[in-house]
Amino acid sequence: KPFSGSSILQHLQLFLPLVMFCGSCCKLFGASSANSVDVESDAPESTAPSLVVVAASPDAVACGHASKYPFEQFAPSMNVRELPIVLFNDDASQQLVWYNGGIKAGIVHCPDDEPDVWSRDAVVMSPAYLGFAIEPYEQRYLHYKGVGIMFSRPHRGKFMQPSIDTMLVCYGLDQLFQSKGCSFGRAIDIGMGSGFIGKFAAAKAPGKGRLAITLVDVDPAAEEYCRSDGFGATVRGAGGREVEWSCQTGDASALLQADSDFDLLISNPPYIPTREEVEEGTSAAPSNFWEGCGLLVHMLELMLEGRYRKGAHLVVMVTSLTLKAKRVQALLAQVAVQGLQVRVLVEREIAWKAWYAGSGRGPTYLLAHGTENDERQRLGSCEYFVGAMRPGDSRKGGDRDRRSDYHWHVAYVLDISRPDSAPAGTTEPL
């Protein structure tokens, strides 16, 4: 049974010494804990504080894990006790959790010892099977490559809390930002939720001059959170460039119809298709907030129509579940025909709680069939795995096949762009 972050120590206190011992046998950051290694709306200043990342807090250096990427510094008035510290390594393949961290006078404090939970194969944000699970309303400090937020979802909020998807999109963005010649001046995080992806882009996107970044979500609670001290909007990005924030509540599709003049569009949209989208290629009103590919389809159509700024990049999260949808398949084929470039920034098998998303059962129409089980399928200019695998039968195998509570799907972070030589076109009906 999953445990909440607030009660986990009580349930696992007998097992923590074993976790500590195992952690001491193999350090993610090398023999010395001070070393790291690389592995495979317009917000008024009074309501959206702008906060600058410090060079490094003393505790960050002492822990070693953040000496390369310092923790965020929040407003001096922020003080939080018994705060889980959740950190991912460079390629988001490993997750480390310290239960008894905190924030004192805006400075993040992390225990100077081995993590209480260490997932060396991160496939979910809350690995309850290792002793850590956290509910959306529970506070935690989440950190990746120098960017962090102190998150808990506001009361009555419905948006998704940060997930493994969030970290993979940031990892994909990091790959894009290291590409030669990339430069961005106006970015948007579509369906921002916690805003972590947008904040990562604001901190890391290369370019000269001011970076204007828009966050938009249909849930008012998302805007409320992103204007809070816990989000901590920064005023300076890569190379010290100025960052200008706009945070909005509303329909992202309508916003893009009215203003699509962005050169970086980022989204981790709902990506689980409905039965109608898979079997008939038609859209249907989703029964849950995580279901339906309508937003993704709209963003792809605007890219095909040449609606975004010249040279724009659309960075989106899809998975092998999404690729069961006929309309998505057709649009990826059109992308190739029109000469747009599709780059797979990340391919990673992750876990899927089909019993949760499938109302107590795994929807069979989302499962892989035939050659989809073990062979990538060509869709447009790239090859992808399509469909989900049942528990005990992951594509990667190994220890994952011992997890009886997860289906498995493959996450893709795609970078879609239009070369100067590719003319804008129109979208074709399915």
Side-chain angles (χ1 to χ4, degrees):
K1 179 180 177 180
F3 300 113
S4 70
S6 60
S7 63
I8 193 66
L9 283 175
Q10 298 175 357
H11 291 284
L12 295 178
Q13 58 185 348
L14 295 176
F15 296 93
L16 289 179
L18 178 60
V19 175
M20 300 286 285
F21 172 78
C22 294
S24 66
C25 296
C26 178
K27 289 180 179 289
L28 172 64
F29 299 98
S32 170
S33 64
N35 298 322
S36 62
V37 296
D38 291 328
V39 295
E40 163 45 315
S41 96
D42 296 315
E45 293 184 2
S46 59
T47 58
S50 297
L51 303 163
V52 182
V53 179
V54 294
S57 70
D59 282 79
V61 176
C63 291
H65 55 74
S67 58
K68 184 178 180 181
Y69 304 112
F71 287 147
E72 293 276 7
Q73 183 176 359
F74 295 96
S77 60
M78 181 176 290
N79 295 279
V80 185
R81 300 179 61 185
E82 298 182 359
L83 180 72
I85 306 295
V86 183
L87 181 148
F88 282 79
N89 71 331
D90 282 9
D91 69 353
S93 65
Q94 301 195 37
Q95 178 189 19
L96 296 83
V97 180
W98 291 261
Y99 294 132
N100 292 320
I103 299 176
K104 184 176 181 180
I107 302 296
V108 177
H109 293 262
C110 181
D112 187 17
D113 51 26
E114 297 293 331
D116 297 297
V117 173
W118 192 338
S119 175
R120 292 172 172 82
D121 183 24
V123 295
V124 291
M125 178 65 78
S126 292
Y129 54 91
L130 294 178
F132 177 70
I134 193 160
E135 298 295 334
Y137 58 83
E138 293 180 303
Q139 294 181 325
R140 86 296 308 257
Y141 173 75
L142 177 64
H143 186 91
Y144 176 68
K145 297 198 76 169
V147 177
I149 59 174
M150 200 286 291
F151 179 80
S152 64
R153 192 171 68 189
H155 183 56
R156 288 192 291 273
K158 296 181 179 180
F159 65 89
M160 290 287 287
Q161 66 176 325
S163 66
I164 190 66
D165 305 349
T166 308
M167 314 320 295
L168 292 179
V169 174
C170 290
Y171 175 46
L173 284 171
D174 196 51
Q175 307 307 301
L176 172 63
F177 294 158
Q178 295 180 42
S179 302
K180 185 178 179 180
C182 275
S183 179
F184 303 101
R186 190 164 188 246
I188 182 170
D189 182 358
I190 302 164
M192 83 275 197
S194 71
F196 191 96
I197 294 172
K199 185 174 182 179
F200 186 84
K204 304 289 186 178
K208 296 181 179 180
R210 178 184 299 173
L211 172 66
I213 184 158
T214 298
L215 309 179
V216 60
D217 199 288
V218 71
D219 188 345
E223 179 179 354
E224 176 186 344
Y225 169 72
C226 290
R227 291 182 179 274
S228 72
D229 286 352
F231 179 71
T234 55
V235 295
R236 298 292 174 187
R241 68 190 305 201
E242 181 183 352
V243 178
E244 179 183 82
W245 293 89
S246 173
C247 191
Q248 304 180 26
T249 298
D251 181 354
S253 296
L255 183 151
L256 290 174
Q257 284 288 357
D259 179 10
S260 56
D261 187 29
F262 297 92
D263 54 17
L264 178 61
L265 301 99
I266 315 159
S267 187
N268 178 23
Y271 56 65
I272 301 177
T274 63
R275 181 183 294 274
E276 291 80 3
E277 288 174 318
V278 173
E279 296 180 348
E280 303 170 15
T282 58
S283 60
S287 58
N288 298 289
F289 64 87
W290 60 77
E291 192 179 41
C293 299
L295 178 57
L296 171 64
V297 165
H298 185 64
M299 290 186 291
L300 290 173
E301 289 175 342
L302 291 178
M303 173 60 82
L304 284 163
E305 294 167 7
R307 294 285 298 277
Y308 305 135
R309 183 176 291 185
K310 183 179 180 180
H313 288 252
L314 172 63
V315 178
V316 292
M317 172 83 170
V318 301
T319 83
S320 55
L321 300 172
T322 321
L323 300 175
K324 294 289 287 188
K326 292 183 178 180
R327 183 58 178 160
V328 174
Q329 294 178 358
L331 289 170
L332 289 175
Q334 287 187 50
V335 163
V337 169
Q338 289 196 20
L340 276 67
Q341 293 181 345
V342 180
R343 176 185 174 192
V344 177
L345 298 171
V346 178
E347 180 186 65
R348 184 79 56 83
E349 185 180 60
I350 57 176
W352 175 44
K353 298 177 182 178
W355 58 269
Y356 175 75
S359 302
R361 62 189 185 281
T364 57
Y365 60 89
L366 294 175
L367 296 176
H369 297 286
T371 60
E372 293 175 346
N373 287 286
D374 49 21
E375 296 179 12
R376 292 179 179 85
Q377 309 295 307
R378 179 162 291 279
L379 298 173
S381 58
C382 298
E383 293 185 345
Y384 312 87
F385 285 110
V386 175
M389 303 297 289
R390 295 180 184 275
D393 190 26
S394 73
R395 291 180 170 101
K396 188 173 181 179
D399 290 341
R400 297 182 178 201
D401 288 348
R402 298 186 180 95
R403 301 298 317 156
S404 61
D405 47 350
Y406 292 126
H407 283 63
W408 299 94
H409 61 140
V410 179
Y412 292 97
V413 181
L414 303 182
D415 168 32
I416 304 174
S417 59
R418 179 184 299 278
D420 292 340
S421 59
T426 59
T427 55
E428 300 175 0
L430 186 65

